C-alpha cells in the first residue's frame, strides 16, 4: 500500500483509540490521588508514556520479535478491563503512590504470566469458545459503565459531584459524539469520541468565561469546580521530553498481585476473541494457533514493558476491530503506531489531556464502555444460543455482575477472596464461564 494511502488509514485508527488509550490512566491515577497539583507532572509523564508504549507494542504485534507478536493487523493500547480490579486494589490500599506502585509491580508479574499462557495457548484454546470470550467482554463492559457514569457527574471525589454544570457538560459531550457518529461518515465518524472531547474542552472554556469557577463547600472552604480547565499545567509543561523509565517505584504486595494475575487470564481470553474477530472478519478464515499464541504473548510482554514505564497493562483494542476488518493492512496500522510514538515525545500534549474535566471524560467513557457491552453481545450471539450457551451466559453474568454490584455479601470472607471476586465482578464471571 502506498504511503499516501497508508497514513490516513493509520491516523484513522489512532483517532479511534486515542482517548480510550488514555482513559484508564486518567481514572486510576485520579483514584490514587496523583492527579492533583502535587503530582501533576507525574500524571503528565504517565500519559506521555502511555502513547509511546501503545505505539511500540502495536509495532511488535504487527511484525513480531521472535515468538512475541502474532503478525496480526490489530491495534494495541492501555486496557480498560483492569479498571475495576485496580479500583478495588486502590480502595484496599488507601490510594496514593504506594497503591499505584503495587499495581505496576502486579502488572509486571501478571504480564509475564500471560506471556507464559500464550505459549500454552494451543491446548487451552478449547476452553475459549465465542460464548466464553463474549461473556468476558460483556462483563468487562458492564463493570465499566458505573465508572463512566461516576466521571459523568464530575468524579465522586469532587466537591461539586453531580452538579448541574457537570451533568450538562457530560451530556453535551455524549450528544455530540452520537451526532457525529451517526450523521457523518469516514474518518469523522471513526473519530467521533475525539471530536466530542474537543467540543467538551471548548464548552468548558466558554463556561469558565461566563460562570463562577469557584464555590464554597459545607465547611466554608472555597474550592475550584471540577469542570474548570487548568491551563497553567499546560503552560508549565515542556514541549519535548524523552519518556522516563520507572516513573513510579514498584511495590510488591500480594493484595494487588493475586487479583491482577487472574485478570490477566481474563484479558488473554479477550485478546483471543479480538484476534479471531479481525482474522475472520478481514481475512475470511480462522486465526491460526501461531497467530493467537503470538498475539497473547505480545499482550503479556507488552503489559510488563508498559508497567516499567508506569503505564497500565496493554491489550488489543476491541473498538478498532471493526475498522481493521474494513482494510486489513499491517503497513497502514504501522503508520498509526509511529504517530503514537511521536505523540509520546511531547509533554504539552499529555498535559493538555491531563486537564480534561471528569465530566467531559465521562461523556466519552459512557459511550466507549457501552460499546464494549455491545461487542460482547455480538461475540455471544455469533454462535447459536443453545440451552448450554444460555446457561453459561446467565450464570456467569448473574454471579459476576451481582457480586460486582453487591460486593458487601463477601464481607465475611478473607480479604484476598474479596479482592478477587468482589469489586468489578469480571473475574467471577470469567471463571464461571470457563468452568461451565
Amino acid at each position: 500500500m502506498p504511503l499516501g494511502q497508508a497514513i490516513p488509514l493509520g491516523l484513522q485508527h489512532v483517532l479511534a483509540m486515542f482517548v480510550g488509550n488514555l482513559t484508564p490512566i486518567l481514572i486510576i491515577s485520579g483514584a490514587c490521588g496523583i492527579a492533583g497539583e502535587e503530582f501533576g507532572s507525574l500524571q503528565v509523564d504517565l500519559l506521555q508514556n502511555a502513547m509511546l508504549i501503545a505505539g511500540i507494542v502495536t509495532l511488535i504485534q504487527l511484525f513480531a520479535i521472535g515468538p512475541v507478536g502474532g503478525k496480526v493487523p490489530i491495534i494495541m493500547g492501555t486496557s480498560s478491563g483492569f479498571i475495576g480490579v485496580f479500583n478495588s486494589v486502590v480502595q484496599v490500599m488507601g490510594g496514593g503512590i504506594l497503591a499505584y506502585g503495587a499495581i505496576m509491580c502486579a502488572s509486571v508479574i501478571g504480564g509475564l504470566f500471560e506471556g507464559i499462557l500464550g505459549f500454552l495457548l494451543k491446548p487451552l484454546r478449547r476452553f475459549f469458545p465465542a460464548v466464553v470470550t463474549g461473556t468476558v467482554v460483556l462483563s468487562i463492559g458492564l463493570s465499566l459503565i458505573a465508572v463512566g457514569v461516576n466521571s459523568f457527574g464530575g468524579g465522586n471525589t469532587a466537591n461539586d459531584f453531580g452538579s448541574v454544570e457537570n451533568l450538562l457538560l457530560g451530556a453535551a459531550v455524549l450528544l455530540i459524539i452520537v451526532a457525529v457518529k451517526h450523521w457523518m461518515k469516514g474518518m469523522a465518524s471513526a473519530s467521533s469520541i475525539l471530536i466530542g472531547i474537543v467540543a467538551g474542552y471548548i464548552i468548558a472554556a466558554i463556561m469558565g468565561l461566563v460562570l463562577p469557577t469557584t464555590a464554597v463547600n459545607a465547611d466554608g472552604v472555597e474550592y475550584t469546580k471540577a469542570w474548570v480547565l487548568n491551563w497553567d499545567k499546560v503552560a508549565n509543561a515542556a514541549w519535548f521530553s524523552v519518556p522516563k523509565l520507572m516513573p513510579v517505584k514498584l511495590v510488591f504486595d500480594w493484595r494487588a498481585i493475586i487479583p491482577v494475575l487472574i485478570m490477566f487470564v481474563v484479558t488473554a481470553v479477550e485478546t483471543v476473541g479480538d484476534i479471531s474477530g479481525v482474522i475472520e472478519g478481514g481475512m475470511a478464515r480462522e486465526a491460526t494457533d501461531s497467530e493467537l499464541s503470538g498475539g497473547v504473548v505480545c499482550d503479556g510482554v507488552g503489559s510488563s514493558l508498559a508497567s516499567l514505564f508506569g503505564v497500565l497493562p496493554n491489550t488489543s483494542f476491541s473498538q478498532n476491530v471493526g475498522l481493521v476488518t474494513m482494510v486489513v493492512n499491517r503497513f497502514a496500522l504501522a503508520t498509526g503506531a509511529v504517530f503514537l510514538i511521536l505523540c509520546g515525545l511531547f509533554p504539552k500534549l499529555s498535559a493538555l489531556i491531563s486537564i480534561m474535566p471528569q465530566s467531559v471524560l465521562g461523556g466519552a467513557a459512557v459511550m466507549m464502555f457501552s460499546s464494549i457491552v455491545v461487542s460482547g453481545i455480538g461475540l455471544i450471539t455469533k454462535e447459536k444460543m443453545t440451552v448450554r450457551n444460555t446457561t453459561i451466559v446467565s450464570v456467569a453474568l448473574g454471579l459476576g455482575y451481582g457480586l460486582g454490584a453487591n460486593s458487601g455479601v463477601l464481607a465475611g470472607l478473607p480479604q484476598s477472596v474479596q479482592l478477587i471476586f468482589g469489586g468489578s465482578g469480571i473475574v467471577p464471571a470469567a471463571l464461571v464461564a470457563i468452568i461451565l
Side-chain angles (χ1 to χ4, degrees), residues 55-66:
I56 292 173
V57 178
T58 296
L59 288 176
I60 295 172
Q61 186 70 282
L62 291 172
F63 300 108
I65 299 176

Side-chain angles (χ1 to χ4, degrees), residues 152 166-178 196 199-200 203 359 363:
F152 196 95
N166 283 324
L167 294 176
L168 287 178
L169 180 56
V173 171
L174 180 58
L175 288 173
I176 291 168
I177 291 172
V178 172
I203 295 169
S359 47

Side-chain angles (χ1 to χ4, degrees), residues 34-234:
I34 58 176
E37 290 187 14
E38 183 183 355
F39 300 104
S41 61
L42 173 58
Q43 190 186 42
V44 170
D45 291 340
L46 298 180
L47 292 167
Q48 182 183 352
N49 289 356
M51 291 183 280
L52 175 82
I53 291 299
I56 292 173
V57 178
T58 296
L59 288 176
I60 295 172
Q61 186 70 282
L62 291 172
F63 300 108
I65 299 176
V68 183
K71 295 184 180 180
V72 290
I74 202 161
I75 294 287
M76 305 293 285
T78 312
S79 173
S80 296
F82 286 82
I83 291 175
V85 171
F86 288 159
N87 267 332
S88 300
V89 172
V90 171
Q91 290 169 13
V92 169
M93 298 192 64
I97 292 289
L98 187 69
Y100 200 88
I103 287 171
M104 289 302 99
C105 182
S107 298
V108 170
I109 297 169
L112 296 175
F113 174 65
E114 186 186 5
I116 295 171
L117 280 180
F119 287 113
L120 303 174
L121 192 64
K122 187 174 181 179
L124 297 175
R125 189 176 174 184
R126 64 190 182 90
F127 295 107
F128 302 148
V131 67
V132 171
T133 55
T135 301
V136 169
V137 173
L138 178 56
S139 65
I140 289 172
L142 288 172
S143 72
L144 291 175
I145 289 176
V147 177
V149 172
N150 178 58
S151 294
F152 196 95
N156 58 12
T157 58
N159 283 290
D160 58 340
F161 177 63
S163 68
V164 174
E165 292 114 314
N166 283 324
L167 294 176
L168 287 178
L169 180 56
V173 171
L174 180 58
L175 288 173
I176 291 168
I177 291 172
V178 172
V180 172
K181 185 74 176 176
H182 293 283
W183 293 346
M184 301 185 79
K185 297 180 179 179
M187 190 175 292
S189 179
S191 312
S192 59
I193 289 176
L194 185 62
I195 292 170
I197 283 181
V198 171
Y201 271 85
I202 295 171
I203 295 169
I206 295 172
M207 288 170 63
L209 297 175
V210 299
L211 295 174
T213 57
T214 61
V216 178
N217 63 20
D219 298 324
V221 178
E222 187 178 45
Y223 66 88
T224 301
K225 295 182 178 179
W227 51 265
V228 176
L229 296 168
N230 181 11
W231 295 112
D232 290 340
K233 191 173 182 180
V234 180

Side-chain angles (χ1 to χ4, degrees), residues 64 101 141 148 167-168 194 204 238 248 258 279 282 286 371 425 428:
L167 294 176
L168 287 178
L194 185 62
V248 178
I258 294 174
I279 300 300
E286 285 192 7
S371 69

